[in-house]
Amino acid sequence: MNGVIAGISYRALLGRRRIWLLIMLPLVLVAMAALLNLIGAADERTAVTLMRTFAIGTMLPLLGLIAGTGVIAPEIDDGTIIHLLAKPISRPVIAQTKFAVAASMLALFAAVPTFVAAYLLVNLESGIAYGFALGALVGGIAYAAVFMLLGVLTRHAVTIGIVYALVWEGVVGNFVPGARRFSIQQWAQSIADQVSSSPFFSTEITLGFAVPALLIITVGAVVWSGQRLRGFSLTGDE
């Protein structure tokens, strides 16, 4: 990991409009939990439903898209990536650093708010808060890697990422049984299910499948991103 690149990446994410998008979704989640608690509708069933459908199902992939593409796609689009590639820094190291920055943003803006929202609803009952926070963390890390790779592969990363997040993860992954084995969202829920003992929460994907799948997709996407950057010339072409 390179400290200079990390600093530049953090400033780019936190200094642009993306920071408001990163903040808005977690605020909505926590506000929904607080409202449910206020009106007396906070119970385990409600907590599980909110965590599955909004925290993991909607917020997490969108935050992954914002952070994953945001650490590198804008630099490729405006050509400033050339200045970075011209420096004597290994291109896989550039990809690894960008990934670390995106993953840390997911930990802060996805895992922490997920824990807070679940805690507001049911405190620490049945391990729901811990389970979904862990699921959001590992799922967010995988999303960060995948969307960063997408930002390296195409200039239409945001558009393709939105389609992937909303259609594949949001619809196909939830309603087509066979497709669930290939959904990061479902893998994250499998992790959460292993920690939580709530009777209102169960998943079809086993931990023995989810963990290797998360590792393979994360490591593979980061490695591929580094290799892809090797193909960039100092003129911005491949």
Side-chain angles (χ1 to χ4, degrees):
M1 181 167 173
N2 184 284
V4 175
I5 296 174
I8 293 172
S9 301
Y10 278 120
R11 286 193 296 272
L13 275 178
L14 300 177
R16 298 181 179 181
R17 289 177 296 177
R18 287 181 182 82
I19 183 62
W20 298 109
L21 296 174
L22 288 170
I23 292 175
M24 182 179 65
L25 289 169
L27 281 180
V28 171
L29 173 63
V30 173
M32 290 172 65
L35 178 61
L36 289 169
N37 188 34
L38 183 64
I39 65 177
D43 53 35
E44 284 195 22
R45 185 189 297 273
T46 301
V48 168
T49 300
L50 181 62
M51 295 303 105
R52 293 187 76 166
T53 58
F54 187 81
I56 301 294
T58 301
M59 181 185 76
L60 187 62
L62 290 178
L63 289 178
L65 174 63
I66 295 166
T69 60
V71 292
I72 197 164
E75 294 178 2
I76 294 176
D77 289 340
D78 62 21
T80 56
I81 189 70
I82 302 305
H83 301 292
L84 183 59
L85 297 178
K87 298 184 181 300
I89 303 173
S90 166
R91 296 187 183 186
V93 169
I94 294 174
Q96 293 160 18
T97 303
K98 296 284 189 180
F99 161 70
V101 170
S104 68
M105 290 292 98
L106 269 295
L108 177 61
F109 291 104
V112 173
T114 296
F115 179 86
V116 172
Y119 184 83
L120 286 173
L121 290 171
V122 291
N123 294 321
L124 299 178
E125 292 179 20
S126 301
I128 292 174
Y130 287 123
F132 278 100
L134 181 60
L137 176 62
V138 297
I141 290 172
Y143 278 128
V146 169
F147 287 124
M148 181 186 71
L149 172 62
L150 193 60
V152 175
L153 293 177
T154 175
R155 293 181 181 273
H156 306 289
V158 174
T159 302
I160 296 172
I162 289 175
V163 173
Y164 167 78
L166 296 181
V167 177
W168 180 263
E169 292 283 348
V171 178
V172 179
N174 277 315
F175 299 104
V176 179
R180 292 173 184 167
R181 293 177 64 84
F182 305 99
S183 168
I184 294 175
Q185 175 189 149
Q186 297 297 323
W187 302 340
Q189 289 188 27
S190 177
I191 300 294
D193 185 33
Q194 294 301 311
V195 178
S196 171
S197 60
S198 174
F200 303 106
F201 183 34
S202 62
T203 58
E204 299 176 6
I205 309 302
T206 65
L207 191 66
F209 182 87
V211 172
L214 284 164
L215 288 172
I216 291 170
I217 199 71
T218 302
V219 174
V222 175
V223 171
W224 190 358
S225 296
Q227 294 303 313
R228 185 73 171 181
L229 286 178
R230 289 180 184 272
F232 279 75
S233 71
L234 295 184
T235 61
D237 301 320
E238 295 180 70

